[in-house]
Structures are given as C-alpha cells and as structure tokens.
Amino acid sequence: MNELKLKQNLKKITIFFVIISFLIFAFGAVASYSLDQVFKDTMYQQINAQAIQYKNSINKKIQSGLQTLYALNSLISFSEYIQPEVFENALYESNNKLVFFRMVYFDTNGDGIRVTTNGDIEKNVKPEDMNENIQKAIKEAWTGETIISDIYYDEGIEKNVIAYVVPVKKDDKVTGVVAASQSIDTFGKTLDNQGILSDNGIVMLVDKNGEVLTSSTNLLNKNIEDVKDLKSIDDKTKDKIISGISNLKSSNIPLKINGSLCYAIVEPVDIKGWSLVIIDSATGINRSMYQNINITRVTSIISLALAIICIFSGYRQIKKSNDNLLKLAYYDRLTGAYNMEKFNMLLDEMWDKQDKNSAVVAIDIKQFKFVNEIFGEDMANKLLYQIKTIIDKNIHKEDEFFCRENADLFFIFMREAEQQKIVDRVNVLISQIKSIVLSRHQQYPISVCCGMAFTSDFIGEKQQFMTRVMFALNRAKLSGKSNNIKFYDLELHKTEQMQNYIESHMQEALNSGEFKLFLQPKFKLQDGSLYGAEALVRWKTNDDKMIFPDQFIPLFEENGFCTKLDLYMVEKVCKQLRRWIDKGYKPINISVNQSKLLFYKENYVERLCNITRKYNISPSLITLEILEGLALNNVDELNNKIRKLKQKGFKISMDDFGSGYSSLNTLGNIDIDELKLDKSFLMIASNTNGHRQRLIMEQIIVLAKKMNMYTVAEGVETKENEQMIKELGCDFGQGYYYSRPISAKEFGEKYMKERKKHE
Ligand code: C2E
Ligand code: CA
Ligand code: CA
C-alpha cells in the first residue's frame, strides 16, 4: 500500500468517526431536548391536574359541609315534635365530624338555638347578636337559597371562618334557617400532602382581591396576607397572578426563583370568586419524575461519553496502526530517517513541480565495511545514526528531505541552485561527520564521498536523474580522495555509457555481423590511378546507429578485443577480394589496421596465413598497418615478426607517422614497405606559416624513398593539399578529397567494376 492510500484511508476513517461522534452528539442533544419537552409537558399536565384536584377538594369540602346541613334539615323539619333538649343534642351530635365550630338554627319567630363544639348550647339567640356577614347570609337564605357567607372573624376561636346557611323548607315554604361556621384553615389543611408539590411548594386560597384566605401549612406562619406579600416573586409575575385572580382565569405562569425554574398557577375555584394560587419549582412539582428524567439523562450522558470514548480509542487504535504501517513502509528502521521509497515519492512531487532550483546529494561513507568489521555492527549502526542526526540538523530549508538508501548511502534533496552554496553546505556536513568519534580508544577518521546533480540541467525522468547522482558519486569514489565532492558531468557520463554499451555488446555484435567493412581508396599521385584502399571498420548497430572506430577502438585496445576484431576485418577483406577476383575484377591492395596486441600474440602469422589461404588470396594484396608506437617497446621481436610476415608476402605500413613521438630511429630500425604520414602533418604543412613543416615532410619523403619505402599522405582534403604533396614527392594520397570511407559494396560499384579484365 502506498502512503497516499494509507492517508486517504485514514482520512475516510477520520470522517467516519467524526460523523458518528457528531450523530451521537446530535442524538444526545435531541434526546435531551425532547426529554426536557416531555418533562415540561408532563409537568404542565400534572400541575394543572393538581390545581384541579385542589379545586375539587375545596369544592368537596364545601359540598360535604352543605351535605351535613342538608342532612340536618330533615331532623329540623320535625323539630316541633321533639323535645327541645333532644333537638339541641341532635344539633350538636350532627356535627359528628366536628368540622363546624358553631351551628345555629333560627325558626320562623327568629328564635335561634346555637351549639358550639365545646358543648355550649345557647337559646334564644337573635340574628342581631351575630356577625354581620352571617346576618347577611341568613337574611338571604330566608329567600330559599343556600348561601355561603363572606369570611368573618370568630372571636371564640380567634380564626377566620365562613358560614354555610341553608334554608329549612316544609312544603316548599321556608320554615327556618340553619347555619354552620367553619374555620377557613380547614381548607388550608386539605391543600397539604397531596403528594405532588415539593416541601417548598405553596398553595394559597385567595379571594378576588388577592387577599389570602388560607394556605398550605408551610406558609401559615409567614404572615402572607396578600399575594403581594410574596417576597421571592417579582412584581411582573405578581401582576400576572393578580390579573388571573381578579379575572377568574386559569393561568400558568413560569417564573424564576433564585435562578431555578418555577411555576405559578392560578385556578379559580368557582366559589365566591375565590382562586387557588400554587407556586412551586419545576423540579419540585414532580420529584420522582424529575429524578427519573435526571437518571435517564445521566445514564444517557454516561453512555454517550462511553460511546465517544470507545469511538475515540478505536480511532486512536486505527490511527496508531496506520502510523505504524506508514513507519514500516516509509522509514528506515535503524536510523528513523526516511527510506528510499519515501524519498522517491517526495522527489516525484518535486519532479511534478518541475523544480529547477535544487540538487540531490549522495553521501557515502568511505570504507564502511572496515568500520563494520573493526568496530562491530553496533558501533557502525551508531555511526549511521549519528550521520542521520547531522544531516537532519543541516536540512533546514523548506521542502528539503533526505533518506538512507541502504547500508552507508544517504540521499539529500537540497533546495540550492548555486554550486558554491551547495558545496559550502555539504562541506559543513562533511566536517561534522569527520568529527564523529567512534570510540574513545581508537579515533578512526570517518570520511565520505559525495556526488550530486542539479535538477536545473536536467529535463527527463526522475530515475535517470538519480542515475546521474549515482554516476557523480561513483566518480567521487573512483577518485580515491577523501571527502571528495563530484558534480555530475554529462559528457563524462555519455562516454561512460557508451563504453558500457560497447563492452557489453561487442562480442554479440561481432557474432551477428554488426562490424562492417568500409573502404577508403588510395590514389597514385603521379597519374591519379587507383592504387589501393584502407579497410576501416564501422559498427552498425541493429537499430541502425553508426558507431565510429574512435569510440571503440581505444577501448578494444584496452580490453584486448581488438585482436579478434582485426583478424575479423582481415577475413572480411579477404572475402571481399575473393568475391571481386571471382567476378573477374583486377584486385587492389588493401591495408588493414592491426593493433599492436596482435604482434605479441602467438600464432599471429599462422592465423593470418590461414585466412588468406582460406580465401585463396595472395598475402601480397594485404598491407598491414601498424602504429609507430609499436616499435618503441621491443624492436627485435617486432622486426622478427615483420620479417616472417614479409616472407609470407604481406606488406607492412607504418601508420600515423609524425603524430606521436615520431623518431627517425624507428624508420632505421624496422623494415617496412610503406610510410603513412599522419594527417596532422599535412594540416600543419598546408598552413601559410607551415614552411618548416613542409621542409621536414619533404626530407622524410626523401629519406623514405632512399630506404625503399613508398609514402602515403593521409588527410588529403583539397586540391591544394594534393598539389602540395605532389610537389613534396609523395607517392600516394588518401583523403576526403578523393573519397570518404564507403561501404565495400559501394566501393565495388565505384572503383572495381571498371577494373574488369578484358580477355
Ligand atoms: P587511421 O588508420 O589513421 O584511419 C584514417 C582515419 O582518417 C579514418 O578514420 C578516416 O575516415 C579518416 N580520414 C580519411 N580521410 C580523411 C580526410 O581527408 N580528413 C580527415 N580529417 N580524416 C580523414 P576512421 O575510420 O574513423 O578511423 C579512425 C581510426 O580507427 C583509424 O585511424 C584507425 O587507427 C582505427 N581503425 C579503424 N578501423 C580499424 C580496424 O579495423 N582495426 C584497428 N585496429 N583500428 C582501426
Ligand atoms: Ca590506418
Ligand atoms: Ca592513419
């Protein structure tokens, strides 16, 4: 898997986890909100139900009071038939629940009997003796209506009371009135302990003016006589409550007391314009539900938190394993630096950006193997780690990076376009690496080789670029110098690549006939007739590229392949001559270049003879061109070989005379048939100030003639050249003026056809 893919995966996973976490959060929020809504709704319902319940219980209380009086009515209807004492007792007894403090009965005469819960029985009571509120009610009751009096103060019990007044009817005629008073506080008691309100919740029964008639016991001693006396409630809310009370309108007013949400509820009770006012905290209204909701909320918060923790730890786990994968894939385990793969990826990015202001530096530790062997693996690893640390410290520009390729090879990508700057930076690196001390006892100087290439002078594939860096590094290694820095050299590289190609392909090329025979004619200067030709090799690769001998002959001389190639060329020449002869053409002499290695090869003469014999060619048609330098080493042995060759009939020519360390001595020492004056001779002599050179050439030609040698001038390029060599007395000329080297086939067409013998 590559880094990109891993990162993409991680991105996907991250997004996934974020979405999941978000969903859980959102779900939690929605759940919490709806829980709240449900709580509020339920609370509204409950609180309203509670208010109704209070209302009902007050009504019930009143109804039961009235019921008691209605029950008395039947007793009273018969009062005229019973003894007064019995009636008094019955009156007293009928208040069996002792809910009434006093009871009174007035007959048509206006005579009243009054009983009190403490057992007092008063007779002949007159309505005028009583509180005016009850007087008023009694008066109204004589009209046949059941009446509840306004509140009045009963000094006997020192409490506010109300009175129920019921007419006693006989045959639809009101015959009397019965009234009973009840402490208003008994209503307050019914408001307690209904189970829904909290301990702090209060219930008040108020009249139309907001005056408190009675209240739940927790408010009794607090001197609240009016709704306005409620301390913890703001005026605005009070106004709303009062408005509800005076308008007899059920109201539900949320409010804040000490920061917590509370409700004030006004519920008219349909009696004398009274209303119930309930005030409680939202949480207090239904503690158990609130607790349940809280438990639900806490559990869901905990499960939310757990889910998020699980998700988070899962995510971390995945990220960690992802990081580990990345580490394994892109980091060098030993030093912690990037590995080559990562380096290549980063380099790819730079390549895509077409960055032209950077360089890649390769750093290789010299004799790392030695460090490994002498100091041991641990120490060598330590060295690598220290080098990594040093490089790390020195890579400070943006977008710079480095890696350890393998063993002791580091690559650094530096954003530096100037040679001097990069050399300065690399030198800092080298000096820090040099100062690494491996062991206290033995100070071994660490030295490195550096090769580098600039991105600026290269357009092409990244891989080729790295080959260039390696090429420069190899140059630095080959130089043998310590702490050497080498830049990439294109020409050098091309040469080396060509050499590599040549060396790896030469044998195959020889086998498959890629070496071609080219011929360049030589002309007799006296009459311009064709005298012979020089065989020159051309390498035509199978992709039709032509490689010239200058590119491979020196290499073949070095690697010894020249001996094979030269004999091959001799054979090609013989084969060609045989073809021409068979065609009836008059053969010409052909010169073949011979490497000096051949002269020291055993059986050289025999092998040549074998070839000529194979094609039945007279050795006299073959001239062997040898280089002047050959004579410098071992003249006797050379002369020995030359003698043998000449005995067989071969001709010997000395090539490139005057090009190197020419010496007239050579001419005296070896027995040759032909002297080829190097083209440089002609070049200099044809200059306007080449007078002296001409003199030398002239004398050499004279000398050669005296020693029975022909002279051939090479490199005749112009008519003037030809004119000059003619004047100097040269025998033959060869050069582009006459013809470039051409293929054997072309040569045959051009020069051989006309030499057909006429019988
Ligand atoms: P060389 O033996 O001195 O061959 C003559 C070179 O001069 C040839 O180059 C030829 O093309 C070139 N030449 C001919 N006329 C002119 C001219 O008018 N002006 C100039 N400037 N150059 C001219 P070529 O073919 O590239 O061969 C180069 C060298 O390679 C030869 O130098 C020879 O030393 C070596 N060589 C060629 N073929 C063989 C071979 O089969 N065996 C060996 N051992 N060496 C060979
Ligand atoms: Ca030659
Ligand atoms: Ca030559």
Side-chain angles (χ1 to χ4, degrees), residues 235-270:
D235 290 345
K236 226 170 150 185
T237 314
K238 275 182 198 165
D239 288 348
K240 281 186 196 165
I241 297 172
I242 289 165
S243 141
I245 293 167
S246 51
N247 296 325
L248 296 176
K249 209 175 123 205
S250 296
S251 332
N252 199 330
I253 306 152
L255 68 145
K256 282 260 157 87
I257 297 176
N258 298 330
S260 58
L261 178 65
C262 296
Y263 285 92
I265 280 154
V266 177
E267 184 62 43
V269 290
D270 308 332

Side-chain angles (χ1 to χ4, degrees), residues 415-426:
R415 297 198 38 85
E416 217 68 75
E418 278 173 47
Q419 279 209 4
Q420 194 48 51
K421 279 198 180 151
I422 207 162
V423 166
D424 290 346
R425 283 184 68 185
V426 172

